[in-house]
Amino acid sequence: MSRAVRIHGYGGADVVQVDQIDVPAPGPGEVLVKVHAAGVNALDWKIRQGYLQAAFPLPLPATLGIELAGEVMALGAGVTGLAPGDRVMGPLGGLGAYADVVAIAADKLALVPQAMDFTQAAALPVASLTAWQALRAAGPLRPGQQVLIHGAAGGVGGFAVQFAKAAGAVVVATASASSREHVLALGADRVIDRHAERFEEQVRGVDLVLDLVGGDALDRSWQVLADGGAIVSTAAPDIVGRAPAGQRGLWFMMVPHQRQLTEIAAMVVAGSVRSTIARVVAFDALAQAIEESHSGHAPGKVVVDFTR
């Protein structure tokens, strides 16, 4: 049997429970992974609350979690390039990572570098790939473009600041005052206090807004766009309908990409990209960590260690 953190209905923290489920068998093209660590994401509480059930209906009970790091246990038919004992990480491209044993498509997994442990690896897949791909969803990044990143202190935001700066963009970020120095250290040219300042009063001519928070911040962002500018949102599935006439808004969802993840992991090991872990929690504290991801936490990513 395998432990699994599941919801049987939608609601608050009390609907999350630990169940015992059967160990899956890997299908064709899949591998069986013993999970050592997994990343905690805002999507966890949004799914738990039922906010996304219209856009992404799912059968209940459902195992939460969208990314993992662990060890290959067995191979399904047709899998090449991996072997039992390999250390791997990856996004599921769906739900189910919060279980001791998970069957996942082999082509979604990248090898974990030797210099990286499982908790470090679990912090990478969703945040780094989302940042890399979302920054380019509206077109190539060009040197000198002005990029505004909402939610820059989070896991995705932290990578986005670094990737945009490396591409030669002028990076303006919104974050809490307590996260200002952290975001500046990642490479932001300017950090605006999202609680005390109105970014739309201070910024104009933005070529790309990366919206990681949604809500009022998204609605206020249209007025700062340059002609031909765009907003890419990971937080508002209805962005197209909310866009004023003549404005360009795109809803973005990350796509698993083995090569990109391998390259990003190598950059983290080399020190050219920084991965920030806010804290590591034990498996028994996962339900509370999901709840706390709703209200905010220290800069970076929360990771659950299945061995604790």
Side-chain angles (χ1 to χ4, degrees), residues 31 68-72 75 80-91 106-118 121-122 124-125 257-266 269:
V31 298
L68 56 77
E71 184 178 345
V72 175
L75 308 180
T80 59
L82 290 173
D86 282 347
R87 301 165 71 245
V88 293
M89 59 184 170
D107 61 5
K108 294 177 180 176
L109 295 171
L111 292 172
V112 176
Q114 275 305 120
M116 185 177 287
D117 64 28
F118 284 120
L124 288 185
H257 198 295
Q258 186 181 75
R259 179 182 57 78
Q260 288 175 358
L261 182 55
T262 299
E263 292 174 356
I264 293 168
V269 169

Side-chain angles (χ1 to χ4, degrees), residues 209-223:
V209 175
L210 180 56
D211 167 46
L212 306 174
V213 298
D216 181 58
L218 169 59
D219 293 330
R220 289 156 47 205
S221 293
W222 302 106
Q223 59 193 290

Side-chain angles (χ1 to χ4, degrees), residues 157-256:
F159 282 112
V161 168
Q162 296 176 82
F163 294 155
K165 189 64 179 176
V170 176
V171 180
V172 181
T174 64
S176 63
S178 61
S179 299
R180 182 177 186 274
E181 294 306 316
H182 169 76
V183 177
L184 287 171
L186 293 177
D189 296 286
R190 183 180 179 189
V191 179
I192 297 172
D193 183 346
R194 66 186 181 92
H195 297 297
E197 300 176 274
R198 304 284 289 186
F199 65 85
E200 69 272 26
E201 295 175 355
Q202 303 187 37
V203 185
R204 283 292 185 272
V206 175
D207 299 290
L208 174 67
V209 175
L210 180 56
D211 167 46
L212 306 174
V213 298
D216 181 58
L218 169 59
D219 293 330
R220 289 156 47 205
S221 293
W222 302 106
Q223 59 193 290
V224 308
L225 287 178
D227 290 342
I231 300 178
V232 174
S233 179
T234 67
D238 60 345
I239 183 173
V240 174
R242 289 163 68 173
Q247 301 277 35
R248 186 180 180 208
L250 295 86
W251 161 242
F252 174 81
M253 292 182 64
M254 181 271 295
V255 177

